[in-house]
Structures are given as C-alpha cells and as structure tokens.
Amino acid sequence: MFALIDCNNFYASCERMFRPELVGKPVVVLSNNDGCVIARSNEAKALGIPMGAPAFEYDKVFKTNQVHVFSANFALYGDMSQRVMDVLSDFSPDMEIYSIDEAFLKLQGFDNYNLQDYATKMRQKVMKWTGIPVCVGLAPTKALAKLANRIAKKYPDITQGVYVIDTDEKRIKALKWLKVEDIWGIGGQHAKKLNQHNIYTALDFVLADTQWVKTNLAIVGVRLQADLQGIQTLDLEEVQPKKSIATTRSFETNYTKLEDLQERITTFAVSCAEKLRKQHSCCQSLMVFVRTNRHLQQMPQYSRNIVLQLPFATNSSIELTKFALQALQMIFKNGYSYKKAGVIVQDFTPQNQAQMTIFENSNPRHIPLMQAMDKMNTLYGQQKVRLGIQDTKKVWKMKQEKLSPRYTTKLSDIITVNV
DNA sequence: TCTGGGGTCCTAGGACCC
DNA sequence: TCTGGGGTCCTAGGACCC
C-alpha cells in the first residue's frame, strides 16, 4: 500500500501556526512581488478567491471580508516542510518527498497493521509536533492514494482526514466520484480532449480503450490508466540531482536600460551558480530570456531567449556571469519596457569529473574563490559578498508588503512568550 | 499601478550516419 | 514512372506537476 500525506492549505497553515488567532479566519498567501494568490485557507476558498488570482483584482474582497494577506515567506515554509517530513519519515523506511507539502510512504510489510489507525497516528503526530494539519490517503497504487487523499480532504467530517481504498468496491465508487480533470496527471488540455470523447469521470477514463488512450495521451496516459485500476505502475522515486536550474523574476517596475538588466541577469547567474555548487554540478549550457509585460497587449511586445553552449563546464559565478551577459547582449533590444527576465542552466556534469578541453577551460583558481564566497555568504548572510557588477547600494527588492517574520530560521525573529 | 516561480517527462521531426 | 533501409542523436514544443 501507498500512503499520500498532503498538508492542508500548506502556506496558509504555516502562517497560522504562529498566529493562532487566525484559525477559522480567511488567510491567503501571495506569490513573489505580492502578485497572485498561491495559497488559501478553507475560509478564503469559501469566499470564492481562486488559485492564481491576481491580488490587485481582489483587494476589495480582501478588505470587505477581513482576509489576512501574507507575502510568501519561503524561508518559513521550507523549514516547516522539513519538520513535517522528519515526523513522517518515522512511519516508513520508504519515503518519497513529492513536493514541499506532500510525501508518499510505501507501506510494505505492514500486513498486520490497521492502516486506518496507523494513518490517524500520522496525522496526530504531525499536528502535535509541527502544528500543521494534514490529510492521508491510502491505496494500492500512487494514483489511487492521491485520489484517496482527495476524498479525505473533501469530506473531513466523515473521514477525519484519513481515507483508505482497500477494496474494489471502494475503488469503483471513488473513480465514479472523481472528475476526469481532477485525476493526478490529467491537465486542462487532456481533460478537454477526453470530454470530447465522452469521458467525464475517472471511471470512464479507466474503461476507455487503451489504444485510443495511447494515441491521444501517450504512454503516460496508459500508465495512469493501469495505476487507477489498482495495477501498480508508478513506484517511489529516488531523489535525483536536478537536470536544470532556473532563477527568474518579474520586476516590480519596468526596465528599459541595458545596464539595469545587466545587473539583474548577473544576480540571476550568480544565484544559478550557487545552486549548482550546492548539488556539486557544473553546467554546459545556459539560457537567458527577457520579456515585456505580456498582460499589457497595448504595449509593444518583445520576448526572446537564447541558449549558449559553453566552451567548458563550469559553476563559477564569474564565468557564468560573463556568459550570461554575452547572451543578454545578443537578445537585448532598445525601445522596450522589460518586465521579466531569467537565467536557466542545463546539461550538467558532476563537479569532480570536469572534462578538460584543448583550448579553453574553466579557471581552476575560481574553485577556492567560490568556496570562500559560499562560506562567507553562509556565515554572514546571503549576498554579503557580491560581484562588482551586482547592485551594491540600493539592493533590488521585490514587493513584499505583508511578510511575516522568519520565526524558525532567524534568531532575531523568534517569538517572545510572555508568562 | 498591480498579473509567480521552478521543475519533469514525452514525442515528433530534422539532421545525420552507414 | 521510377529514386533503399535502418539506425541514432538532438531539439523544440507540448503537456503535466507543485
């Protein structure tokens, strides 16, 4: 059996954990730049605030309903996530952390356990040790565990946050209940196609002709179909080093000058380089993109990216910056208001197996230099040591008007208890 | 005025090889 | 009218996830 544990309204729950007076009140969390709604408490959902809603369009709704609005505080969410995962890891030796707020547990050799009770214990322990509410779905396959979790979330009063699919009868009933667009792995495009073929529920999907599914949804669809029949095709996945690393941002204001973008692109390249070094990889290609605000169609639009194949593999901030700025130079055009840009690195090789090339190589002296920079930045705070081209005085800031303290990761932000 | 960020996998088709 | 057969590798784009 697989268990899927999913935190309820995770970011909103993290904020509420340290503001208990907000329990039972509508809470939303906004994306970077306070742009879109990316998490909602149940009360906020009930007000009809959709996922991804632009915040400015809902200002009125927030005000009239006294919705508590937070800027995204990823330092807090990341740390809380780790605490939840630590608790869960006690419940099975086989665990896959699927996302910041979800984990699969494989329960092999648990035949003599009452899984309903076991899952209830998970919930209680996570709640007691971290303060985060979770729901648990149990089933013979991952796709069905996802479905079971959905039922647990949807009917908290009946399920008490735990639902087990362990008989064919329950499986059929669940499949009949689930809309095809809500199947894990079926998105909007596929759902549309399936609807046109008179497939509306997960049960319809399971019963659909496999050849047809293969033609229209490819092999992924076929696997999913089997998994939903209770035939295990998806297994826990090992943690893999990343295959691409991105740093991209929307800007609070528009940039028109090359120099402004150069500073941003440098910072993005440095950030990619730091992430690369963290996983001990070097990259051999790098992409830079810039774009104008696509929401303002009345403005002249421009969007371009360029991929550079690097002459050697590197994770040096200095070298990656040099290449990223070359790339920017090639795609930058005067006369546009830029709203978003980013750097994405790809084609990784392990750091310790860098291939020497005949003509040009990564500067070996950068290795100790980068180690020293990383060390200092860890010790004294991010970005304390920067490249000269990076912004030294004004320190580019994104809009974060409702940022909560970093309760669990910053000494000065720890809450005070008055006895 | 204001509209996020970061990933993965699969496939078709082109370029190339013998 | 007719112009082989069988591969591999790479890339762009589409779809999905949180």
Side-chain angles (χ1 to χ4, degrees):
Chain A
M1 294 285 275
F2 288 91
L4 175 68
I5 301 93
D6 191 325
C7 301
N8 302 353
N9 319 323
F10 182 55
Y11 298 164
S13 297
C14 289
E15 297 292 352
R16 273 215 288 231
M17 170 58 210
F18 294 91
R19 296 279 303 275
E21 78 275 16
L22 300 182
V23 172
K25 307 230 167 97
V27 172
V28 299
V29 177
L30 305 182
S31 63
N32 280 344
N33 265 325
D34 291 348
C36 307
V37 174
I38 55 169
R40 308 154 295 155
S41 71
N42 287 344
E43 299 77 14
K45 287 177 190 170
L47 291 171
I49 302 165
M51 187 69 173
F56 72 91
E57 282 179 11
Y58 282 81
D59 272 347
K60 246 198 181 136
V61 179
F62 295 160
K63 269 206 187 96
T64 48
N65 297 286
Q66 292 171 13
V67 177
H68 291 78
V69 181
F70 289 94
S71 303
N73 183 348
F74 290 110
L76 175 65
Y77 312 148
D79 185 65
M80 291 303 289
S81 170
Q82 212 171 348
R83 290 165 190 236
V84 171
M85 299 305 168
D86 280 349
V87 175
L88 291 176
S89 65
D90 278 348
F91 285 88
S92 168
D94 303 313
M95 169 158 131
E96 173 190 342
I97 297 174
Y98 179 68
S99 73
I100 193 161
D101 73 331
E102 280 174 69
F104 285 103
L105 294 182
K106 197 172 185 180
L107 301 173
Q108 219 161 22
F110 283 69
D111 302 349
N112 296 325
Y113 281 64
N114 179 329
L115 291 180
Q116 177 90 32
D117 292 349
Y118 198 57
T120 302
K121 277 196 194 121
M122 291 180 202
R123 283 197 79 217
Q124 289 167 346
K125 194 163 173 186
V126 172
M127 177 54 107
K128 187 163 180 181
W129 287 25
T130 70
I132 300 293
V134 302
C135 285
V136 186
L138 288 133
T141 69
K142 284 172 97 175
L144 286 171
K146 267 273 189 189
L147 168 49
N149 187 288
R150 202 181 182 89
I151 295 171
K153 270 230 174 92
K154 179 85 186 180
Y155 304 105
D157 295 338
I158 305 167
T159 62
Q160 300 300 317
V162 175
Y163 192 71
V164 188
I165 297 177
D166 52 358
T167 66
D168 229 32
E169 202 188 336
K170 281 176 158 179
R171 184 177 67 85
I172 301 288
K173 193 176 161 195
L175 289 174
K176 219 180 267 179
W177 169 80
L178 186 69
K179 281 184 274 180
V180 77
E181 62 265 33
D182 293 333
I183 298 174
W184 178 48
I186 304 280
Q189 297 306 308
H190 286 330
K192 219 160 104 191
K193 207 182 277 178
L194 289 160
N195 285 169
Q196 281 162 8
H197 207 244
N198 279 325
I199 295 168
Y200 294 99
T201 69
L203 188 62
D204 296 340
F205 174 65
V206 164
L207 298 174
D209 176 60
T210 303
Q211 207 46 53
W212 184 89
V213 171
K214 179 151 192 198
T215 313
N216 288 275
L217 279 74
I219 192 72
V220 184
V222 177
R223 274 186 219 143
L224 196 55
Q225 225 185 357
D227 224 57
L228 287 170
Q229 282 168 39
I231 302 160
Q232 192 209 310
T233 51
L234 309 169
D235 207 340
L236 291 193
E237 282 177 29
E238 307 271 319
V239 187
Q240 305 276 356
K242 290 196 174 67
K243 294 177 175 171
S244 72
I245 289 175
T247 304
T248 70
R249 288 290 177 279
S250 299
F251 311 135
E252 198 189 347
T253 53
N254 292 323
Y255 288 142
T256 50
K257 288 192 303 224
L258 179 61
E259 303 93 82
D260 291 334
L261 281 173
Q262 280 174 331
E263 189 280 323
R264 297 283 70 218
I265 290 293
T266 300
T267 299
F268 298 159
V270 167
S271 159
C272 284
E274 282 169 356
K275 295 176 191 172
L276 275 172
R277 295 198 291 272
K278 234 174 223 163
Q279 70 160 35
H280 308 293
S281 298
C282 289
C283 74
Q284 274 194 109
S285 86
L286 168 150
M287 180 176 103
V288 172
F289 74 85
V290 293
R291 64 158 29 163
T292 52
N293 190 338
R294 65 195 164 93
H295 298 290
L296 299 177
Q297 284 300 324
Q298 65 274 27
M299 305 270 287
Q301 293 289 314
Y302 178 65
S303 167
R304 215 173 140 197
N305 70 63
I306 187 165
V307 178
L308 288 192
Q309 300 301 326
L310 308 186
F312 47 81
T314 177
N315 60 15
S316 153
S317 296
I318 296 167
E319 284 163 349
L320 283 175
T321 295
K322 197 181 78 187
F323 292 125
L325 289 178
Q326 273 174 22
L328 173 65
Q329 196 76 250
M330 294 159 87
I331 55 174
F332 177 83
K333 265 203 212 162
N334 261 315
Y336 291 100
S337 294
Y338 295 93
K339 181 66 181 168
K340 185 172 179 172
V343 174
I344 302 170
V345 291
Q346 294 163 97
D347 297 337
F348 297 164
T349 52
Q351 194 170 33
N352 52 9
Q353 294 176 20
Q355 279 285 339
M356 297 292 272
T357 62
I358 301 175
F359 300 110
E360 208 179 344
N361 286 296
S362 181
N363 187 341
R365 293 164 66 198
H366 287 185
I367 296 172
L369 179 59
M370 291 302 127
Q371 283 172 354
M373 277 182 75
D374 289 340
K375 220 171 180 173
M376 283 193 271
N377 282 333
T378 310
L379 212 55
Y380 302 116
Q382 268 186 320
Q383 305 250 326
K384 275 283 185 298
V385 187
R386 286 191 286 253
L387 300 188
I389 191 168
Q390 288 181 268
D391 191 345
T392 46
K393 5 185 223 308
K394 56 187 179 186
V395 182
W396 181 83
K397 256 204 142 32
M398 59 183 168
K399 192 175 159 200
Q400 283 184 312
E401 287 173 355
K402 320 270 191 177
L403 188 60
S404 53
R406 280 170 279 175
Y407 301 105
T408 63
T409 55
K410 196 157 197 253
L411 212 47
S412 55
D413 284 359
I414 286 178
I415 49 174
T416 310
V417 180
N418 295 308
V419 185

